[in-house]
Amino acid sequence: GVEETAADAGVEVAAVGSLRRGEGGLHRWLTSLGEAFARGVTVDWSPVLPARPRGEVPLPTYPFQRRRYWLNATGGSADLTSAGLGSAGHPLWGAAVTMAESGEVLFTGRISLDTHPWLADHAVNGTVLLPGTGFVELVLHAGDDVGLGHLDELTLHAPLILPEQGAVQVQLLLAAADDTGRRTVTVHSRPEHSGSWVRHATGVLSADVTDPGFDLRVWPPSGAVPVATAGLYDDLVVQGYEYGPVFQGVQAAWRVGEVVFAEVALPEEAHGEASRFGVHPALLDAALQVVGIGEAVPVGRPPYLPFAWTDVTLHATGATALRVKVTPTGPEAVTLHLADPTGAPVAEIGSLVSRPVQLATATTEGNLYRVDWTTVAVPATPTTPSWAHLADLADDVPELVLARLTGDEPAADVEVAARAAVGAALALLQRWLADPRLAESRLVVLTSGAADQVTDLVHAPVWGLVRAAQVENPGQFVLVDADPETPVEEILAAVGTGEPELSVRDGQVRVPRLARAAAGEPVWRADGAVLVTGGTGVLGGLVARHLVEVHGVRDLVLTSRRGLTAPGAVELRDELTALGASVEVVAADLADRDAVAGVLDGIPALTAVVHTTGALDDGTVAAFTDAQLDTVWRAKATPAWHLHDLTR
């Protein structure tokens, strides 16, 4: 009656009981105060709370720790079949559709922190990212959908940043199978409803699944030395990794020499969802967190994220806990074996290479960029490190070793000489990496006219090779382009800036930087025919469509080794023809100079050439063979030289 009377009078009253039969103690009284507090009554709780020094408030163990209890949203309830789509059957994918003629399969999804709140527990330097393990899970599921359970390789090109508000649209395109049954795969995303598509990952799937050759039943292994894991996530915060509860899965770790063994697990609230994944991305990410555990991390080192995955096979699904074995195989590269708590195999990763990430330049928002060489200052009083020329290297190894690669005489055959120069540089890099005496030294590769002002085509390709070596072996190699008469002191001062690539000209030191291309430049239009090499491939097809749709090209010649018999070539020709272009598809081996000449002779009004053809035969620099170099060189560099020489 009190509440009703007060309500009638327009007065806000909160009535709570303070005594009940059998409940007259302090607990009942505090419960009643809690009820009043919940109804909006101000309560002074200080008399019943423990004393605490003024101003002292306990903080979470790491910034912004939180645990979510809301049910995950499942998205809209639209009938996918009414739109000609099928359910993808995966928490991160919404739908899948198979193309009628090509056999390509397109997976689509929508990811946000509202629909997938556990992803908010994976942040790097304050930015929430889809973990690299998430890309592996997405691609493995797509492969499983078409009977390809082996991930030959997956390269991550750009991180996928998840916004605090809104969502991103994600697409995975599984290409048609090649002659061996393999399929290439690409993953793109863009902000929902707007923005440009960003390519995040490319890879290759196959059916080359073999029985696991390992188990981890003996646990922990004999001779294993425990590694402390207390405070691990506090240490990771300092390094830039901000893991929430779902991603804080490391339970214990041991070492046997350089090999790390660990136990990782999902929190209980994530167990239900684990059955919907091949391997839950948070669980696999926890396995990666033990890489290098127990080793000192240099102050200021940027966070490292997965970059290249090779030979990934999933043997069992739905795991909630794992035994992990991590074996280093090279600089920033490891092999992983994963088993369930009984030691039975769950997954194996032949190689995982990580590299530092700079999130400030992770996205371009659709802008175009170019490389500018920008002048930088050298230290006013540079320190002079110990150094020696490579030819004078003795047992006492200095801090810097200078290796000049510039030739003295012009090459009679530039392409042959360039191939020889790259081969010699590869051999030099491999000798350097194989010599343990040189681990603490840096090799300075000197060229002249091979970088910002290219006059030496023979040694220009060496820069690409050394860049790959720099990514795999941070801090080991430096590229310097300088005139032969440049004093050594100037070169040493330039190297002292810490930059990986430098140009020394007229006393100035310049370094490459990305610069935004000028806006509003007129769109290029072709007056005649355009030749696209590798034109029936994925990249060539994209270029051809762009030329027709954006640049108004109406006369296209597309070349590939198989011509119209290449997968999708006829469909591409017909599509471009429907857009108003005249399209000729020519089969030719462009590594054959006579074949290139024949193609060019058949295009009387040639205006431009776009050279997209290439071959994939990758590997780490330390293990790269001369035969692999021949494969990629013959597909890319040899045709480029023929095209250049025959169109002059």
Side-chain angles (χ1 to χ4, degrees):
V2 174
E3 288 187 299
E4 287 83 352
T5 303
D8 291 340
V11 179
E12 293 187 9
V13 174
V16 297
S18 60
L19 291 175
R20 290 185 181 178
R21 189 181 304 277
E23 291 185 75
L26 180 62
H27 182 271
R28 175 65 252 175
W29 171 244
L30 293 177
T31 301
S32 298
L33 284 179
E35 292 173 356
F37 179 74
R39 302 278 298 271
V41 176
T42 301
V43 178
D44 179 8
W45 295 103
S46 58
V48 294
L49 294 176
R52 186 177 303 279
R54 185 181 300 275
E56 185 176 309
V57 179
L59 294 176
T61 56
Y62 88 102
F64 312 115
Q65 182 165 338
R66 57 202 176 276
R67 187 179 295 267
R68 294 170 180 263
Y69 295 95
W70 299 109
L71 293 174
N72 291 347
T74 57
S77 58
D79 183 5
L80 294 175
T81 58
S82 68
L85 305 174
S87 172
H90 190 274
L92 295 175
W93 286 129
V97 60
T98 301
M99 308 303 176
E101 294 190 14
S102 67
E104 295 175 320
V105 184
L106 178 67
F107 290 79
T108 65
R110 177 185 183 275
I111 300 177
S112 77
L113 299 185
D114 291 327
T115 58
H116 304 84
W118 56 273
L119 288 172
D121 286 351
H122 183 271
V124 177
N125 285 339
T127 301
V128 178
L129 307 175
L130 180 71
T133 55
F135 287 105
V136 172
E137 171 65 20
L138 290 172
V139 174
L140 282 175
H141 177 79
D144 185 64
D145 192 68
V146 295
L148 302 179
H150 185 257
L151 181 54
D152 290 4
E153 58 190 55
L154 182 69
T155 301
L156 305 184
H157 304 283
L160 197 166
I161 296 176
L162 298 173
E164 293 184 11
Q165 303 293 330
V168 293
Q169 296 173 327
V170 184
Q171 288 188 358
L172 181 151
L173 181 63
L174 201 57
D178 64 14
D179 294 339
T180 66
R182 286 171 164 76
R183 290 180 182 240
T184 59
V185 60
T186 56
V187 182
H188 291 76
S189 84
R190 71 173 181 181
E192 191 172 35
H193 305 311
S194 65
S196 302
W197 289 97
V198 175
R199 186 185 66 171
H200 297 285
T202 56
V204 178
L205 286 158
S206 74
D208 300 339
V209 178
T210 58
D211 293 333
F214 76 98
D215 67 60
L216 298 178
R217 299 183 189 279
V218 178
W219 195 259
S222 177
V225 178
V227 178
T229 58
L232 170 64
Y233 290 99
D234 292 334
D235 295 339
L236 289 174
V237 168
V238 175
Q239 299 170 35
Y241 306 97
E242 299 161 14
Y243 294 121
V246 175
F247 283 80
Q248 293 183 7
V250 177
Q251 309 294 306
W254 300 264
R255 292 184 76 101
V256 179
E258 292 187 340
V259 181
V260 174
F261 298 85
E263 293 176 354
V264 300
L266 289 172
E268 187 174 349
E269 61 264 27
H271 285 193
E273 196 169 44
S275 62
R276 302 176 64 198
F277 290 93
V279 57
H280 196 293
L283 185 64
L284 183 53
D285 193 276
L288 306 188
Q289 293 166 18
V290 302
V291 174
I293 191 170
E295 300 176 358
V297 178
V299 177
R301 192 188 83 161
Y304 274 61
L305 294 181
F307 168 61
W309 306 74
T310 307
D311 291 333
V312 181
T313 305
L314 190 62
H315 299 296
T317 63
T320 59
L322 295 172
R323 291 177 177 178
V324 181
K325 178 184 179 182
V326 180
T327 307
T329 57
E332 315 302 341
V334 296
T335 293
L336 290 100
H337 294 90
L338 311 176
D340 66 18
T342 72
V346 170
E348 53 189 315
I349 300 167
S351 176
L352 169 61
V353 176
S354 300
R355 72 176 187 181
V357 64
Q358 299 292 339
L359 293 176
T361 57
T363 60
T364 63
E365 297 296 334
N367 293 303
L368 294 177
Y369 289 78
R370 65 172 186 270
V371 176
D372 274 357
W373 285 81
T374 304
T375 301
V376 296
V378 298
T381 56
T383 58
T384 303
S386 58
W387 67 277
H389 289 292
L390 181 64
D392 303 328
L393 194 60
D395 293 336
D396 187 14
V397 180
E399 298 172 61
L400 299 177
V401 177
L402 309 185
R404 182 169 291 280
L405 303 186
T406 305
D408 296 327
E409 299 294 332
D413 189 322
V414 171
E415 187 265 330
V416 172
R419 169 62 181 86
V422 173
L426 175 61
L428 169 60
L429 297 177
Q430 291 175 335
R431 289 196 305 272
W432 181 274
L433 293 171
D435 191 338
R437 298 178 307 142
L438 306 174
E440 301 301 321
S441 299
R442 284 187 293 169
L443 179 65
V444 181
V445 179
L446 292 170
T447 59
S448 181
D452 56 327
Q453 300 174 7
V454 179
T455 57
D456 180 7
L457 290 178
V458 169
H459 290 91
V462 171
W463 274 61
L465 176 67
V466 177
R467 285 191 185 108
Q470 288 175 328
V471 171
E472 296 170 13
N473 307 274
Q476 286 266 289
F477 304 108
V478 183
L479 282 163
V480 177
D481 197 79
D483 295 331
E485 61 274 11
T486 303
V488 170
E489 292 75 17
E490 288 189 23
I491 293 173
L492 297 179
V495 173
T497 63
E499 294 282 344
E501 301 175 30
L502 304 122
S503 168
V504 182
R505 293 277 188 279
D506 301 322
Q508 287 191 329
V509 177
R510 300 197 299 166
V511 297
R513 293 286 188 264
L514 281 181
R516 198 182 303 271
E521 294 182 356
V523 175
W524 173 80
R525 299 287 179 183
D527 297 326
V530 177
L531 169 64
V532 182
T533 71
T536 61
V538 174
L539 179 58
L542 291 171
V543 169
R545 294 184 186 95
H546 183 77
L547 289 170
V548 173
E549 295 175 346
V550 176
H551 298 285
V553 172
R554 290 297 174 261
D555 190 356
L556 275 175
V557 179
L558 312 180
T559 69
S560 67
R561 292 179 63 88
R562 297 173 58 184
L564 278 175
T565 63
V570 172
E571 293 80 2
L572 176 63
R573 180 198 60 185
D574 294 345
E575 176 188 347
L576 296 172
T577 300
L579 292 172
S582 172
V583 183
E584 181 182 4
V585 181
V586 179
D589 178 5
L590 299 186
D592 182 335
R593 183 183 176 88
D594 291 339
V596 177
V599 171
L600 296 175
D601 287 344
I603 314 173
L606 181 64
T607 300
V609 178
V610 184
H611 181 42
T612 76
T613 189
L616 180 65
D617 195 353
D618 54 355
T620 61
V621 169
F624 207 64
T625 67
D626 216 47
Q628 287 176 289
L629 183 54
D630 275 336
T631 298
V632 296
W633 188 270
R634 190 178 189 278
K636 194 71 177 180
T638 301
W641 178 253
H642 292 334
L643 289 164
H644 163 72
D645 197 37
L646 292 170
T647 56
R648 278 196 286 187

